[in-house]
Amino acid sequence: MAISVGQYLMQRMQEWGVERIYAYPGDGINGILAGQRKNENRPCFVQARHEELAAFMASAHAKFTGTVGVCMATSGPGAIHLLNGLYDAKMDHQPVVAIVGQSATTALGSQYQQEVDLQALFKDVASEYCVTVSNSAAARHCIDRAFRIAIDQRSVTCIIFPKDIQEEAAVANPPQRHDHALSGVGCPVPFMIPHKSDLTAAAKILNAGKKVAMLVGAGALNAQDEVLQIADLLGAGVAKSWLGKAVMAEDVPFCTGHIGLLGSKPSWDLMKDCDTLLVVGSSFPYGEFYPKAGQAKGVQIDIDGRLLSLRYPMDVNLKGDARQTLDALIPLITRKTDRAWQKAVIDGVKEWWKVVEGRANTDGNNGLLNPERVFWELSPKLPDGCIISADSGTTANWYARDLKIRRGMMASGSGNLASMGAAVPYAVGAKFCFPQRVCIAVTGDGAMQMNGLNACITVAKYWKEWSDPRWITLVLNNRDLNQVTWEQRIMMGDIRFMASQEVPDFPYARFAESIGLRGIRVEKPEELSDAWDRALSSDRPVVVEAITDPDTPTLPPHVSLEQAKNFTETVIRGDPNSAGIVKQAVKGMVQNLIPHSDN
């Protein structure tokens, strides 16, 4: 007896190696769901609380496993809800396939209920491939192309299944004749390195440089050994983009940490003083944090030629896989005997960590926790091999500056889209992929109210299936959309706009308890160490609610004259929190100035 197109879809995805689908049901995909049931729930249906969360989970799946993430939604509103998570995957160059339902072909064009022009809706986010399956004989090649293109182009693709097509008898083996396509499974990953002449030109520049800086991003995650090796040969300092946090451990002495507004002073100094720049797998967007044009000779490695020489005018552009290209480049590099530059970088990094520790250990206003302290206390307790996801907002700053990642850990978040509300569904997706590893989401109260609470309900539904139940969400409860508040002050010179910035209080820890998780509320610095110990040894998932000071500034590594002027204007104009922000800003800046011992 012939199987339906819905069941064939499931079987074909199994051939592509798909193990789970992050989804939310609806009658627009009932034919697919029936096929999944008949296929004994293979691939496994993971029920998110909202289609946006399903798409975020699929994006995280792709980031943490290196394989295709799959999300699914019904027609109309369900399909629309996928968009934010899909754009996250697209902008961070992750392979995700979206499967969506559509009104029956017999109703299309009649303004039928929930009929939306899905081809137009997904035209941009799935620009590499978006197709409506209009005949059961076309299902095979539509599925195969969606997966092959997602893998090959590291992007989002979309397959639209009208309701009646889902229920039709599948044509597993279309006829090999005119007006049909007969496709196959598989997408080999090529060996991709630049021409030898380009490698030689790059090596000439790097060998001539006396002060080499490196910037590494997510594209270098598969080349951690090679990045370390070439940095050692070049006597370089290595800065990281936000998405590149896991490329190099923070215990590497010449790792300067992150770059940008949420970066470190050593990374700022590295770019300001270098004469040569090697960028590997990064398209960090903010030009003001690169060397001044003409200051440094540049070499860039990226697998996507469209991203070469985009942020800084490079002298040599190398299109290729990061690991394979570095493997080919390293034999051409002469080890630098003069290590003065790297020693200066190492000394700057040592001093910076003392500054970070000093800032973390300053007190918050009015007895509230310094948020930086919350992260600083967690850092040495991070379990080996843990997976960390960070949200947009001030948590992104403390994650970047205070968490010392070690080799073997993974870490990510919504990078180029920088969407709020991604961290908790990311941690859920990570846990499904790696149930034996500890997964930790760090988020703020705004993002937690936006998406995180719902994602916790998904955790409550599934956590007993995980081999290791430890899954933690940290939420900074400061009753403020804090990152935007500080941007209003520092970027605009404006005061805090209470109507837009104030977040209602919510009992996050008690909420966790109410759905069968563990909730830990922390109000005092002396409670932090024990709270983290309890969370990391818990027999069930945990929400750690930290009551933090909204006046703790996210000081950039270098304060420009304009930023200082804007901050001064904010105080003069009478920001509602003027006294608190001045007090905390002074504390932070003092840590930059006072001498720190080595103890």
Side-chain angles (χ1 to χ4, degrees):
M1 184 176 177
I3 63 173
S4 68
V5 169
Q7 187 172 356
Y8 175 74
L9 167 64
M10 296 299 144
Q11 294 181 357
R12 198 65 171 177
M13 285 197 291
Q14 284 184 277
E15 292 184 59
W16 277 96
V18 177
E19 295 181 358
R20 65 187 63 84
I21 304 168
Y22 306 96
Y24 198 82
D27 69 336
I29 52 173
N30 271 348
I32 295 175
L33 297 175
Q36 193 167 9
R37 176 186 60 78
K38 292 174 182 176
N39 209 51
E40 299 179 344
N41 194 25
R42 292 178 301 165
C44 180
F45 186 100
V46 176
Q47 187 195 79
R49 307 272 62 74
H50 188 281
E51 293 88 355
E52 180 183 351
L53 303 184
F56 274 135
M57 290 158 72
S59 180
H61 175 112
K63 287 185 177 184
F64 292 130
T65 68
T67 62
V68 180
V70 180
C71 57
M72 183 167 68
T74 189
S75 57
I80 293 166
H81 286 160
L82 288 174
L83 285 176
N84 194 49
L86 291 180
Y87 269 107
D88 174 62
K90 177 186 174 75
M91 295 180 69
D92 284 350
H93 312 288
Q94 297 303 312
V96 169
V97 174
I99 298 167
V100 295
Q102 176 59 296
S103 301
T105 57
T106 51
L108 284 174
S110 69
Q111 291 191 327
Y112 204 70
Q113 185 181 30
Q114 294 192 337
E115 181 188 348
V116 171
D117 186 348
L118 296 181
Q119 289 281 166
L121 183 72
F122 288 98
K123 180 180 179 180
D124 181 55
V125 73
S127 57
E128 297 292 347
Y129 188 69
C130 179
V131 64
T132 298
V133 180
S134 56
N135 187 288
S136 58
R140 174 168 162 167
H141 73 258
C142 290
I143 297 165
D144 289 345
R145 289 210 75 205
F147 278 87
R148 185 173 293 110
I149 292 170
I151 295 167
D152 186 71
Q153 297 298 310
R154 301 171 307 283
S155 192
V156 172
T157 60
C158 178
I159 321 171
I160 302 164
F161 285 91
K163 289 174 67 174
D164 51 337
I165 299 294
Q166 299 169 28
E167 300 171 15
E168 286 186 3
V171 181
N173 296 292
Q176 197 170 350
R177 65 174 188 233
H178 204 68
D179 292 330
H180 288 76
L182 189 62
S183 59
V185 170
C187 183
V189 178
F191 186 84
M192 189 184 294
I193 63 171
H195 291 293
K196 188 168 184 179
S197 59
D198 293 326
L199 291 168
T200 302
K204 183 178 180 180
I205 287 174
L206 296 172
N207 284 329
K210 298 184 183 305
K211 299 178 179 180
V212 181
M214 290 180 63
L215 171 60
V216 296
L221 284 168
N222 71 332
Q224 295 180 36
D225 289 334
E226 292 77 13
V227 166
L228 192 61
Q229 185 178 356
I230 198 167
D232 180 60
L233 289 171
L234 293 171
V238 182
K240 302 185 289 187
S241 72
W242 195 77
L243 285 174
K245 187 171 183 67
V247 173
M248 181 172 283
E250 259 87 14
D251 59 9
V252 175
F254 48 80
C255 175
T256 62
H258 289 268
I259 190 173
L261 283 170
L262 44 67
S264 71
K265 186 177 184 299
S267 290
W268 170 268
D269 293 339
L270 184 75
M271 296 296 160
K272 180 172 65 73
D273 297 333
C274 70
D275 62 15
T276 308
L277 175 64
L278 172 59
V279 178
V280 184
S282 173
S283 186
F284 174 75
Y286 302 118
E288 64 270 30
F289 290 95
Y290 286 87
K292 291 191 180 300
Q295 169 192 322
K297 291 283 187 179
V299 174
Q300 184 176 359
I301 300 170
D302 205 289
I303 200 167
D304 189 340
R306 295 171 296 185
L307 301 178
L308 292 168
S309 210
L310 177 63
R311 309 301 183 189
Y312 188 82
M314 297 294 171
D315 296 272
V316 177
N317 295 291
L318 302 176
K319 179 178 177 178
D321 173 83
R323 184 177 64 187
Q324 294 163 2
T325 301
L326 287 173
D327 269 339
L329 182 61
I330 283 169
L332 306 178
I333 301 298
T334 302
R335 179 178 173 81
K336 297 193 185 297
T337 55
D338 184 353
R339 314 301 283 189
W341 164 250
Q342 193 177 66
K343 183 182 183 302
V345 171
I346 291 170
D347 290 343
V349 170
K350 286 180 181 176
E351 184 59 29
W352 171 252
W353 281 118
K354 295 172 191 174
V355 170
V356 173
E357 182 177 12
R359 288 179 179 175
N361 283 293
T362 59
D363 294 330
N365 280 328
N366 303 315
L368 297 171
L369 286 169
N370 175 353
E372 200 162 1
R373 175 75 173 270
V374 181
F375 285 75
W376 185 259
E377 292 276 358
L378 169 62
S379 186
K381 298 177 185 290
L382 289 170
D384 290 340
C386 69
I387 302 174
I388 310 164
S389 57
D391 233 315
S392 297
T394 54
T395 51
N397 293 266
W398 315 132
Y399 156 86
R401 292 181 185 170
D402 291 86
L403 291 186
K404 295 185 178 182
I405 200 163
R406 304 190 301 277
R407 188 69 180 266
M409 297 178 182
M410 291 192 282
S412 195
S414 179
N416 289 294
L417 184 62
S419 173
M420 287 177 64
V424 185
Y426 262 46
V428 178
K431 193 67 175 178
F432 276 106
C433 299
F434 302 97
Q436 76 284 7
R437 299 173 76 161
V438 178
C439 297
I440 303 170
V442 293
T443 189
D445 45 7
M448 190 68 171
Q449 292 182 18
M450 183 181 287
N451 277 346
L453 295 170
N454 284 345
C456 285
I457 300 173
T458 301
V459 173
K461 176 180 172 69
Y462 288 106
W463 72 267
K464 292 180 183 178
E465 300 176 11
W466 298 334
S467 55
D468 185 329
R470 291 179 296 169
W471 180 95
I472 301 167
T473 284
L474 163 68
V475 54
L476 301 182
N477 184 355
N478 58 22
R479 288 77 62 205
D480 185 53
L481 295 172
N482 207 225
Q483 185 82 342
V484 176
T485 295
W486 280 103
E487 287 169 347
Q488 288 174 345
R489 292 165 176 157
I490 301 299
M491 302 299 186
M492 302 291 295
D494 202 0
I495 65 174
R496 180 176 182 242
F497 181 37
M498 297 284 286
S500 72
Q501 298 310 108
E502 192 171 42
V503 174
D505 197 7
F506 185 88
Y508 304 98
R510 292 210 315 271
F511 168 78
E513 295 282 348
S514 75
I515 59 172
L517 310 183
R518 178 153 289 121
I520 300 174
R521 180 181 167 100
V522 189
E523 300 182 12
K524 300 176 182 177
E526 58 269 23
E527 298 171 348
L528 278 168
S529 180
D530 179 66
W532 282 124
D533 288 341
R534 284 189 288 146
L536 290 164
S537 61
S538 177
D539 64 352
R540 65 190 58 209
V542 177
V543 172
V544 176
E545 178 185 359
I547 311 304
T548 55
D549 178 14
D551 295 337
T552 301
T554 56
L555 292 170
H558 171 77
V559 179
S560 69
L561 184 62
E562 183 180 3
Q563 289 168 339
K565 175 176 172 287
N566 287 340
F567 181 77
T568 303
E569 287 180 357
T570 296
V571 175
I572 292 172
R573 289 179 181 178
D575 188 280
N577 297 54
S578 288
I581 63 176
V582 170
K583 182 179 178 181
Q584 293 305 102
V586 169
K587 287 181 185 178
M589 288 185 284
V590 163
Q591 292 300 323
N592 281 352
L593 302 174
I594 63 174
H596 296 86
S597 70
D598 291 325
N599 296 328

